[in-house]
């Protein structure tokens, strides 16, 4: 089964991702294929270039072909993207100061990025 995760709630990236999902991905025993992860609000900080969680996740994502996306508007508000709010949802906002492989976008970009590798389930944490 293929899944995509949306990290929406406070601390879901530093709790559920960092202490449960990521270790299981690293050990190869999560039990599903993860095709994408979308990060909202303060969860975007877990993908900063200085984050240990982000560095570990970036390495796993590269090996396992996992999409890593930060909300463009959330990233702009936190200094983790270039562009302006009028560009949100257009694909023109670019992630900055993040670990390798992270892109910024909104739902249109998420749907497009996952189109070639659609999840069977989307899990919001």
């Amino acid at each position: 089964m293929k899944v995509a995760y949306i990290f929406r709630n406070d601390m879901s990236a530093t709790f559920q991702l960092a202490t449960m999902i990521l270790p299981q991905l690293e050990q190869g025993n999560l039990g599903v294929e993860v095709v994408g992860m979308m990060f909202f609000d303060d969860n975007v900080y877990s993908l900063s270039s200085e984050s240990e969680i982000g560095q570990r996740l970036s390495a796993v994502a590269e090996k396992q072909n996992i999409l890593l996306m930060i909300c463009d508007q959330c990233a702009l508000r936190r200094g983790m993207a270039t562009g302006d709010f009028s560009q949100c949802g257009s694909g023109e906002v670019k992630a900055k100061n993040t670990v390798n492989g992270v892109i910024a976008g909104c739902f249109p970009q998420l749907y497009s990025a996952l189109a070639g590798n659609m999840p069977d389930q989307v899990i919001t944490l």
Side-chain angles (χ1 to χ4, degrees):
M1 173 179 17
K2 295 180 181 181
V3 301
Y5 289 104
I6 296 179
F7 296 97
R8 167 66 186 91
N9 294 305
D10 290 344
M11 296 184 61
S12 61
T14 55
F15 180 58
Q16 286 90 357
L17 173 62
T19 66
M20 298 175 202
I21 298 166
L22 182 54
Q24 293 167 358
L25 281 170
E26 291 171 327
Q27 295 166 9
N29 62 4
L30 184 61
V32 295
E33 178 185 351
V34 179
V35 297
M37 296 183 180
M38 178 75 167
F39 297 76
F40 288 91
D41 301 319
D42 286 347
N43 291 302
V44 300
Y45 289 127
S46 65
L47 294 177
S48 76
S49 57
E50 297 176 11
S51 167
E52 179 203 347
I53 296 167
Q55 292 168 7
R56 291 171 50 207
L57 185 57
S58 176
V60 168
E62 185 177 343
K63 290 177 187 170
Q64 297 182 21
N65 193 32
I66 299 171
L67 169 72
L68 299 178
M69 183 177 286
I70 52 177
C71 164
D72 51 12
Q73 189 175 143
C74 302
L76 281 169
R77 291 183 189 281
R78 290 158 179 83
M80 293 183 63
T82 58
D84 62 66
F85 292 110
S86 69
Q87 297 172 307
C88 290
S90 69
E92 296 174 26
V93 175
K94 303 299 178 199
K96 72 173 188 178
N97 302 324
T98 63
V99 294
N100 291 335
V102 175
I103 60 173
C106 196
F107 288 105
Q109 291 74 46
L110 178 63
Y111 303 146
S112 177
L114 290 175
N117 197 15
M118 290 293 289
D120 299 306
Q121 292 186 358
V122 177
I123 300 168
T124 302
L125 298 169

